[in-house]
Amino acid sequence: METINTDNYMIAGFIVSFVTIGIYLLSMYVRARNLKRDLETYEALDSPDKK
């Protein structure tokens, strides 16, 4: 009885894992960028007018 070749499933699993991690890292980058933008907006609203 031969063992079944499951290399393709392993490769597919690695691809799915790396894509998921990549999407997560991209999401964290976008959230950090938006947080920085929000912080700058709140600081501008909090500071006195510079007229």
Side-chain angles (χ1 to χ4, degrees):
M1 186 171 185
E2 272 185 51
T3 58
I4 300 172
N5 185 1
T6 58
D7 292 344
N8 291 334
Y9 293 114
M10 182 187 70
I11 292 169
F14 277 121
I15 290 171
V16 169
S17 297
F18 288 136
V19 167
T20 302
I21 291 169
I23 291 170
Y24 176 72
L25 291 175
L26 180 64
S27 170
M28 294 302 289
Y29 169 75
V30 170
R31 288 176 186 217
R33 187 183 64 189
N34 289 341
L35 181 61
K36 183 179 178 184
R37 188 182 313 151
D38 289 347
L39 182 61
E40 290 171 356
T41 303
Y42 291 140
E43 287 174 348
L45 290 173
D46 191 35
S47 67
D49 291 334
K50 297 180 180 180
K51 292 182 179 178

